Amino acid sequence: MRAQPLTGAGQASAGPARPAGPGARRGLLVTVVVVGAALLLRLFVVGWYPVLSDSMAPTVASGDHVVVDRVTWRLGGPDRGDLVTLVSPEDGTALLKRVVAVGGDEVRIDDALLVVNGVVVDEPYVDHARIDATYFGPVQVPAGHVFVLGDNRFGSIDSRVFGTVGLEDVTGRVVLTLG
């Protein structure tokens, strides 16, 4: 007698369902471990965030997304030039800014030019014409703090407004920008 293919509709059952074997349980366990690891990675190590303002334009524009490393930057940073996420000292919201000075640095802005420790910093991402005749500082950055600015200096609320940021308020370093 020939076996007929099963269509699932209108055919008799082949008998009671058998419990899943060791292969099925192993596959379920692997799936649970992979999903759990991905969730832990997302919760504690890497974050993916939409950008909702133009304070970092043209480097990162509103509507872009950033991938943020929440862990390894703590081993040696953040450093000058890093894009970081932080908790706003003003209202607790999440911000994206560039670290321009670290603990022990003196920072100032002279006629739109960023000066750190007496040296003018090359900032090709800043439109200096929009902030011509801007002056700020000097400010000494305390140990354990950073001074952050938006690349769009004309439209950024940053350390010029709320002061230096304690490292405990830095939440991560941007490792990738997705436009």
Side-chain angles (χ1 to χ4, degrees):
M1 185 180 212
R2 258 174 79 175
Q4 300 227 353
L6 297 175
T7 62
Q11 296 203 4
S13 171
R18 289 188 274 183
R25 283 191 289 264
R26 193 174 8 247
L28 178 61
L29 179 61
V30 167
T31 301
V32 168
V33 168
V34 168
V35 169
L39 286 173
L40 288 174
L41 186 68
R42 170 67 172 95
L43 287 172
F44 299 108
V45 180
V46 177
W48 181 66
Y49 302 97
V51 176
L52 304 176
S53 89
D54 279 324
S55 73
M56 288 301 297
T59 308
V60 183
S62 181
D64 288 351
H65 287 79
V66 292
V67 177
V68 177
D69 167 13
R70 299 183 201 174
V71 176
T72 62
W73 72 268
R74 294 178 189 275
L75 302 175
D79 298 316
R80 283 183 220 99
D82 285 347
L83 298 184
V84 297
T85 55
L86 59 118
V87 177
S88 168
E90 287 194 316
D91 59 11
T93 60
L95 299 177
L96 172 65
K97 302 294 175 191
R98 183 178 302 275
V99 173
V100 298
V102 297
D105 287 345
E106 180 189 87
V107 61
R108 70 180 192 268
I109 298 174
D110 284 339
D111 198 14
L113 298 176
L114 176 66
V115 180
V116 177
N117 299 325
V119 177
V120 175
V121 177
D122 181 32
E123 296 183 292
Y125 41 80
V126 174
D127 182 358
H128 292 95
R130 291 192 72 198
I131 57 173
D132 192 29
T134 300
Y135 293 86
F136 175 84
V139 171
Q140 187 75 31
V141 181
H145 285 74
V146 292
F147 193 93
V148 296
L149 294 173
D151 290 354
N152 178 6
R153 302 280 158 78
F154 183 72
S156 177
I157 297 173
D158 47 40
S159 286
R160 295 171 296 168
V161 175
F162 51 70
T164 62
V165 177
L167 292 178
E168 67 277 2
D169 291 325
V170 175
T171 56
R173 177 187 300 150
V174 173
V175 293
L176 182 63
T177 302
L178 306 167

